[in-house]
Amino acid sequence: MACTCGNEGSYETCCAPYIRRAATPPTAEALMRSRYSAYVHGEIDYIVDTHHPETRDVVDREEIERWSRGSEWLGLEIHHALQGGPGDTEGEVEFTARWREGGRERVHRECSHFRRLDDGSWAYDHGHQVQRPIVAGPKVGRNDPCPCGSGKKYKKCCAA
């Protein structure tokens, strides 16, 4: 069974040691994955504690807890990690998180920036949402079948 972060292996052998403070994530990506697992398991203190000390004052603990506990977490996909390895002082991880909240499935794609602290551990510094351009398919003519599958001509269906 995979860990809640999507890695092979169980939660107990993957992210739990970091969240329980038995080990320190060796990379920015490992911290990112463990933070996602902390949301899944409602480990709010870990999420707050792994914010960079310079950014913790903007953390809304109550909102994090509401979001964490009020959501059904559906998965994490890491798109890429830039730096953030054992010899680096900074790193970046782009990911997509999926969850269900209030009966609606949600998707969030973010590029997160991490910094190494003086004690050698990684901390989340900031992130920004990534917007991918929508790629349009081939143009639909007015007399073509509607792409919604209704069987009607496009001009009499979705174009109306």
Side-chain angles (χ1 to χ4, degrees), residues 4-153:
T4 50
C5 77
N7 271 344
E8 290 184 18
S10 71
Y11 169 73
E12 292 300 321
T13 61
C14 185
C15 289
Y18 304 140
I19 293 170
R20 293 180 184 142
R21 313 311 199 278
T24 302
T27 64
E29 181 179 338
L31 178 62
M32 172 62 237
R33 288 180 177 280
S34 66
R35 285 173 54 84
Y36 175 84
S37 286
Y39 276 100
V40 173
H41 294 277
E43 297 287 349
I44 311 308
D45 289 339
Y46 183 77
I47 297 164
V48 172
D49 292 348
T50 55
H51 267 266
H52 194 280
E54 293 174 6
T55 64
R56 271 189 212 141
D57 61 337
V58 299
V59 174
D60 185 341
R61 189 183 197 293
E62 289 178 9
E63 177 59 22
I64 291 171
E65 187 165 7
R66 184 206 61 75
W67 186 34
S68 171
R69 298 183 195 281
S71 299
E72 175 189 354
W73 297 93
L74 304 174
L76 174 69
E77 179 183 356
I78 302 293
H79 300 291
H80 74 266
L82 181 64
Q83 298 180 316
D88 297 318
T89 59
E90 295 186 4
E92 205 173 82
V93 179
E94 186 173 329
F95 68 93
T96 297
R98 291 178 168 68
W99 72 98
R100 187 173 291 115
E101 183 178 24
R104 287 187 55 203
E105 193 167 315
R106 314 266 181 164
V107 177
H108 177 77
R109 186 164 180 159
E110 180 177 311
C111 187
S112 293
H113 187 259
F114 298 87
R115 294 192 311 183
R116 191 180 293 281
L117 301 176
D118 291 338
D119 67 0
S121 64
W122 286 100
Y124 171 81
D125 187 53
H126 66 276
H128 65 274
Q129 192 167 353
V130 176
Q131 297 292 335
R132 294 288 181 217
I134 298 172
V135 179
K139 186 174 178 177
V140 179
R142 291 177 38 81
N143 290 316
D144 291 339
C146 190
C148 77
S150 68
K152 298 178 183 179
K153 289 184 178 182

